[in-house]
Amino acid sequence: MAFGKWIGGYLGFMIAGPLGALAGVVLGALFDSLTSSFSSGGEYIGDDSSWGSRNDSYYRQKYENSQQVNMGNRNSFLFSILVLTSYIVRADQKVMHSEMEMIRQFLRQNFGEEAVTQGEQILHKLFDQQKQMGDTSFRNIVIQSCQQVAMHLSHSQRLQMLSFLAQVTRADGIIDPREVNALREVARALGLNDREVDSMLNLSDGSTSLEAAYKVLEISPNATDDEVRKAYKKLALKRHPDRVATLGEDVKRAAEKKFQEINAAKDLIYKARGIKK
């Protein structure tokens, strides 16, 4: 197995803590080679003349440091998605062929073809590790990993992670209660709440079902028009795609699609209530 451009380079907060320990076991020598290869600070690829004179070295270093942080957070973000996906998918103690095909489609649609091969290989290693560790031990490291993620990613970035996990949970059209319970457990450990989980699970139905639309906006159907407006503004603020832009263009594009679904749910409620935009 080889990491390519999908996950590789700076490892960010994944290099330490429970995620680092799990990555070390799952990825073995590959993980070691990555950490040693990039311990020197990485490589900047570009036209050096664009930075001007040597007097600009401070700003160049500042830029490179920010890029390193962004790349590290992105790679930790992606690996964390795979760890949490492996936990949620095996909530029913089995992994079906149809579920793996669904995950392949999820990876392909959101991250491209390279992610399919790499992501599937990592997932199989995670499944094997879960069997070796036992459910309780693996659950403990998953919860600790979520807590580690919560310390390093913003609320909006964690919501986008939850959005991906919810998409995996219901991608095959069947919402297994055991998988939903695992999703809620993960969300709480990430510092998120049940209403946010319900919002994610109902996004794809929010444009056609009023019941789902209210769940998307995280409010009750009994809410006043003013409460509906405030709920939408609050949701639009925390789910705006720009808030996850540092995680990469593919993550931002996925966030833009979800943002459109939020707007569709809002439009359905506004139309049903006769609220003017």
Side-chain angles (χ1 to χ4, degrees), residues 141-205:
I141 200 169
V142 164
I143 298 303
Q144 292 168 13
S145 295
C146 289
Q147 294 166 348
Q148 183 180 1
V149 168
M151 291 174 60
H152 291 89
L153 295 184
S154 70
H155 185 226
S156 294
Q157 290 171 332
R158 282 176 278 137
L159 280 174
Q160 185 58 37
M161 181 176 288
L162 178 63
S163 175
F164 283 134
L165 295 172
Q167 186 177 340
V168 169
T169 301
R170 62 165 297 162
D172 59 356
I174 301 173
I175 302 180
D176 190 308
R178 291 167 293 186
E179 293 184 357
V180 173
N181 288 337
L183 178 66
R184 293 189 189 281
E185 183 180 27
V186 163
R188 292 171 192 141
L190 287 170
L192 306 174
N193 60 53
D194 285 354
R195 282 195 173 187
E196 289 169 326
V197 174
D198 290 336
S199 176
M200 301 299 182
L201 289 173
N202 284 274
L203 270 176
S204 60
D205 297 325

Side-chain angles (χ1 to χ4, degrees), residues 56-89:
D56 291 331
S57 61
Y58 167 78
Y59 298 101
R60 170 176 173 169
Q61 185 62 50
K62 187 174 181 180
Y63 171 80
E64 289 179 346
N65 288 343
S66 67
Q67 292 298 96
Q68 179 177 353
V69 170
N70 291 344
M71 180 60 73
N73 283 348
R74 169 184 169 75
N75 291 334
S76 296
F77 176 88
L78 296 174
F79 184 74
S80 298
I81 288 176
L82 294 177
V83 171
L84 302 181
T85 294
S86 72
Y87 177 67
I88 291 170
V89 168

